[in-house]
């Protein structure tokens, strides 16, 4: 299996490791030290050798960081992880901090003495983060001190860096050759007046060069950085062993990763860095070079986000294949779950098996979230052998999963009734979540609208009932790349205008700690909206659906739905039956016909 159910960390390891880190801090002459989740590529998903936050604190979530002082140790997590961190970290020595409600700089001002020294590894923090901290802490005369990574000095059995080989991604899926993309990015730099750009995010380079790798679990990333020139040349910093099976374009010159610092120090002209992703160490090296630094976004971000029609066609095929696997799983679940013999791990194994049966599964796109009953309220719950809970008739079961296929990346969540009954309160909340999801699916909006403008549509039915959820409504998604991909989002903090070709998730939810969790998720793609009679001449956008799988009608309170919501659900289910049904065996097709019946 791609997913392991072994617990990766133990809360009891936290205290001795924290004590060892404090000893290293004392030896380094710093009063505090930052331990981020991110690696030097600012990635959400990191290699085993970069799991420093999990190794120290026990917390395995995909976002967060720790601030360690002699007398306190804060673990900063957002709303997705506040239940999880309390279960995974030793609460006797670690203090959960609600973030971003509590900013790191505010917490540090309260925690550190005036004149204190805050140590950090400059390769693991972005230039923007360090600039913000420095500005906020300077009035208290708290200084930021770059140091060698102190966790690495005490992590005696730290795994080796990954060395997975790179593979070529077909142009038939990409739609454009690497040479064409290099030319496109060169034009962007030339138009901006930049002589070069430092590219530090592996997914940008994978997109740019039509390459995929295997340096982290579940996401086909090749760990590399690059310096892109306005004349179309690219200096690529990557371990040579990873390139043995691929041919690079003539404009690309490979170098060992350790050569990056030396080349940065020798730069001249105007060099672009993205302060949100470039390591502070790289900015500091450039600042001491003859080059002039400009700060702007990674030039690959928006071109990568605007999917080529070939990419949309490829991922559409992947989603139909994945939808058939989901239908087989949901049919199996309805047959087996009411017997009361299933566990969360049984369900994860079964779903991965149905995806493997397609013959096209390269990987899962993330560890499947399979939460029975109260575990469903842990937004990014990962089942282990220790936490494995029974799937109990009469309760809810939340399953959030996805597949990595060579032609696309999928991400789907369904909340299911175990048997034919569910608590009335849960059904009402489920229907409110569904109403928010439908509102996003039906949205029409003019060009220039960002995710922040749409986010409230998904929350309005919950807000009306005094409820909400503590995560964004949607994230960007790649094509056989990151299941979480920026810069586009549907979130109250996203100012990025949505453009045709951008793929997003649509996943409102509701979570009752200790009782149940609800989330319904489809992937959607931004597309030009057809003109409407009586409308004005302005260009409008809408969403097309990529994900096709039934939504559990047993959890829908039909009387709560407006006529247009009922029509959307019935139309969606008709589409599921038409698109997925022909690929199914007779038993599953008959089940799907019942599951997609109109309400």
């Amino acid at each position: 299996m791609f997913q392991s159910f072994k617990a990766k960390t133990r809360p009891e390891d936290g205290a001795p490791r924290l004590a060892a880190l404090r000893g290293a801090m004392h030896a380094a002459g710093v009063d505090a030290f930052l331990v981020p989740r991110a690696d030097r590529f600012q990635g959400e998903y990191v290699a085993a050798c970069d799991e420093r936050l999990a190794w120290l604190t026990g917390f395995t979530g995909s976002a967060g960081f720790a601030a360690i002082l002699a007398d306190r140790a804060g673990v900063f997590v957002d709303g997705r992880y506040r239940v999880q961190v309390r279960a995974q970290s030793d609460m006797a020595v670690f203090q959960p901090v609600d973030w971003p409600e509590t900013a790191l700089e505010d917490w540090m001002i309260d925690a550190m003495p005036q004149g204190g020294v805050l140590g950090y590894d400059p390769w693991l923090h972005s230039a923007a983060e360090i600039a913000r901290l420095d500005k906020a802490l300077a009035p208290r005369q708290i200084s930021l001190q770059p140091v060698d990574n102190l966790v690495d000095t005490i992590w005696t059995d730290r795994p080796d860096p990954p060395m997975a080989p790179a593979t070529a991604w077909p142009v038939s899926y990409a739609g454009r050759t690497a040479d064409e993309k290099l030319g496109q990015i060169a034009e962007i730099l030339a138009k901006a007046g930049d002589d070069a750009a430092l590219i530090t995010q592996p997914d940008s380079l994978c997109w740019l060069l039509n390459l995929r790798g295997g340096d982290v679990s579940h996401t086909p990333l090749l760990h590399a950085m690059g310096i892109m020139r306005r004349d179309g040349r690219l200096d690529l910093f990557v371990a040579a062993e990873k390139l043995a099976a691929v041919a690079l374009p003539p404009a690309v010159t490979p170098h060992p990763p350790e050569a990056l610092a030396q080349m940065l120090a020798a730069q001249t002209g105007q060099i672009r860095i993205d302060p949100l992703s470039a390591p502070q160490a790289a900015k500091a090296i450039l600042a001491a070079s003859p080059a002039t630094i400009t700060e702007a976004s990674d030039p690959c971000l928006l071109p990568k986000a605007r999917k080529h029609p070939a990419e949309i066609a490829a991922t559409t095929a992947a989603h139909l294949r994945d939808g058939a696997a989901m239908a087989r799983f949901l049919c199996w679940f309805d047959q087996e779950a009411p017997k009361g013999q299933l566990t969360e791990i049984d369900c994860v194994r079964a779903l991965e098996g149905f995806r493997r049966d397609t013959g096209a599964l390269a990987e899962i796109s993330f560890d499947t979230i399979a939460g029975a009953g109260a575990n469903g309220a842990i937004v990014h719950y990962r089942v282990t052998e220790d936490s494995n809970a029974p799937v109990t008739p009469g309760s809810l079961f939340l399953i959030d999963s996805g597949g990595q296929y060579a032609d696309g990346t999928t991400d789907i969540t369904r909340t299911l009734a175990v048997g034919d009954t569910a608590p009335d309160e849960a059904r009402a909340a489920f229907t409110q979540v569904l109403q928010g999801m439908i509102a996003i699916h039906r949205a029409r909006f003019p060009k220039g609208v960002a995710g922040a403008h749409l986010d409230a549509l998904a929350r309005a039915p919950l807000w009306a009932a005094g409820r909400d959820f503590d995560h964004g409504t949607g994230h960007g998604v790649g094509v056989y790349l990151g299941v979480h991909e920026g810069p586009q989002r549907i979130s109250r903090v996203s100012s990025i205008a949505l453009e045709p070709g951008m793929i997003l998730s649509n996943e409102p939810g509701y979570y009752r700690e200790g009782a149940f969790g609800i989330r319904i998720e489809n992937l959607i793609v931004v597309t030009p909206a057809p003109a409407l009679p009586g409308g004005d001449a302005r260009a409008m956008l809408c969403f097309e659906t990529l994900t096709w799988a039934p939504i559990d009608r047993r959890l829908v309170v039909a009387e709560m739905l407006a006529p247009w919501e009922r029509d959307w659900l019935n139309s969606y289910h008709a589409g599921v039956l038409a698109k997925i049904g022909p690929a199914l065996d007779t038993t599953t097709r008959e089940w799907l016909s019942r599951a997609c019946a109109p309400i």
Side-chain angles (χ1 to χ4, degrees):
M1 286 199 65
F2 288 122
Q3 185 161 338
S4 167
F5 304 105
K6 297 289 185 182
K8 297 180 179 179
T9 62
R10 302 183 306 164
E12 57 266 32
D13 289 334
R17 292 174 180 177
L18 182 60
L21 178 58
R22 284 171 169 156
M25 290 164 51
H26 179 75
V30 298
D31 301 297
F33 185 70
L34 297 179
V35 183
R37 157 70 177 179
D39 56 16
R40 64 174 48 204
F41 308 101
Q42 293 300 302
E44 177 181 4
Y45 300 107
V46 301
C49 63
D50 294 316
E51 291 272 11
R52 297 176 181 89
L53 182 65
W55 181 86
L56 177 68
T57 69
F59 169 65
T60 62
S62 62
F65 55 92
I68 311 301
L69 291 84
D71 61 347
R72 68 182 79 179
V75 184
F76 292 69
V77 296
D78 63 36
R80 296 170 293 172
Y81 297 114
R82 287 167 191 166
V83 176
Q84 180 177 335
V85 70
R86 294 197 297 270
Q88 291 187 315
S89 300
D90 184 349
M91 293 294 95
V93 296
F94 292 106
Q95 169 197 351
V97 182
D98 290 350
W99 171 78
E101 294 89 340
T102 299
L104 172 61
E105 49 267 42
D106 294 335
W107 191 86
M108 295 302 302
I109 287 171
D110 178 68
M112 287 191 70
Q114 186 165 338
V117 178
L118 172 58
Y120 69 100
D121 180 341
W123 284 103
L124 301 188
H125 298 269
S126 71
E129 178 187 359
I130 296 305
R132 186 190 73 247
L133 278 175
D134 189 47
K135 181 179 179 180
L137 299 180
R140 287 292 302 274
Q141 298 177 341
I142 297 173
S143 61
L144 275 65
Q145 177 64 49
V147 297
D148 291 337
N149 196 290
L150 301 182
V151 172
D152 294 354
T153 66
I154 61 172
W155 190 356
T156 57
D157 58 349
R158 184 181 172 213
D160 292 330
M163 284 293 169
T167 58
W169 197 53
V171 176
S172 59
Y173 296 153
R176 287 172 289 182
T177 66
D179 285 324
E180 289 172 324
K181 293 179 181 180
L182 288 165
Q184 178 187 10
I185 302 306
E187 289 180 9
I188 291 172
L189 295 178
K191 185 176 180 180
D194 295 325
D195 294 296
L198 173 64
I199 300 177
T200 61
Q201 294 191 283
D203 61 333
S204 288
L205 291 166
C206 285
W207 170 83
L208 181 62
L209 298 175
N210 288 342
L211 295 178
R212 297 298 186 263
D215 285 336
V216 298
S217 297
H218 311 327
T219 305
L221 291 178
L222 171 67
H223 275 171
M225 292 187 182
I227 299 177
M228 179 73 206
R229 314 288 179 178
R230 68 184 295 168
D231 63 4
R233 292 180 298 116
L234 173 69
D235 289 296
L236 183 68
F237 301 88
V238 60
E241 305 95 301
K242 299 181 182 183
L243 302 177
V246 297
L248 297 175
V252 178
T253 302
H255 306 272
E258 55 271 19
L260 175 62
Q262 182 178 358
M263 189 168 288
L264 288 175
Q267 291 304 298
T268 60
Q270 185 167 296
I271 312 299
R272 174 192 294 207
I273 67 167
D274 187 336
L276 298 179
S277 56
Q280 170 62 19
K283 181 180 180 180
I285 295 169
L286 278 172
S289 77
T292 299
I293 297 174
T294 61
E295 294 189 353
S297 63
D298 178 334
C300 297
L301 283 186
L302 283 173
K304 172 167 57 72
R306 304 180 190 114
K307 305 306 178 198
H308 189 276
E311 292 177 292
I312 298 299
T315 201
T316 296
H319 278 80
L320 293 175
R321 183 186 314 115
D322 198 69
M326 277 298 301
R328 294 186 179 100
F329 168 78
L330 294 172
C331 174
W332 170 86
F333 183 88
D334 264 9
Q335 293 170 345
E336 298 299 323
K339 300 175 184 177
Q341 301 299 312
L342 292 181
T343 68
E344 295 167 335
I345 289 178
D346 293 332
C347 296
V348 174
R349 285 177 170 151
L351 179 51
E352 184 174 317
F354 288 117
R355 284 195 166 109
R356 283 182 178 275
D357 287 346
T358 66
L361 184 69
E363 245 279 16
I364 55 177
S365 54
F366 55 96
D367 281 338
T368 296
I369 300 165
N375 285 342
I378 304 173
V379 179
H380 278 196
Y381 170 71
R382 175 185 171 273
V383 60
T384 69
E385 293 170 352
D386 297 331
S387 69
N388 189 25
V391 178
T392 306
S395 66
L396 299 190
F397 180 71
L398 185 155
I399 187 155
D400 183 350
S401 68
Q404 290 281 15
Y405 304 92
D407 50 356
T409 300
T410 70
D411 184 3
I412 174 175
T413 308
R414 290 296 182 263
T415 304
L416 310 173
V418 184
D420 292 327
T421 62
D424 289 342
E425 181 185 23
R427 295 182 69 237
F430 180 94
T431 307
Q432 292 154 3
V433 171
L434 175 62
Q435 289 173 307
M437 180 197 188
I438 292 172
I440 295 293
H441 267 282
R442 297 181 70 249
R444 291 174 56 95
F445 49 94
K447 288 185 176 180
V449 162
H453 302 128
L454 300 180
D455 184 74
L457 296 178
R459 299 177 189 272
L462 288 164
W463 285 351
R467 296 168 171 166
D468 201 2
F469 53 95
D470 292 324
H471 56 76
T473 297
H475 54 81
V477 181
V479 177
Y480 191 43
L481 210 50
V483 73
H484 290 169
E485 177 181 279
Q488 73 276 20
R489 288 188 290 169
I490 302 175
S491 163
R492 65 186 71 180
V493 299
S494 178
S495 60
I496 301 297
L498 300 181
E499 300 184 47
M502 289 181 171
I503 299 174
L504 301 113
S505 67
N506 173 14
E507 51 179 312
Y510 179 68
Y511 310 92
R512 179 64 60 84
E513 185 174 349
F516 58 81
I518 296 165
R519 187 162 63 253
I520 315 171
E521 177 187 19
N522 281 353
L523 297 193
I524 51 181
V525 59
V526 182
T527 188
L532 294 178
D536 59 29
R538 77 183 69 239
M540 301 287 283
L541 301 172
C542 63
F543 295 117
E544 286 189 359
T545 301
L546 291 173
T547 303
W548 298 97
I551 295 166
D552 198 333
R553 295 163 58 255
R554 294 167 298 188
L555 293 173
V556 178
V557 181
E559 297 77 17
M560 293 174 60
L561 298 180
W564 57 88
E565 293 168 335
R566 187 187 301 246
D567 290 346
W568 183 91
L569 183 60
N570 287 338
S571 176
Y572 176 74
H573 276 150
V576 171
L577 190 58
K579 293 174 182 292
I580 301 300
L584 301 176
D585 60 273
T586 300
T587 299
T588 307
R589 188 165 55 249
E590 291 175 350
W591 172 88
L592 185 65
S593 181
R594 296 190 297 271
C596 292
I599 62 171

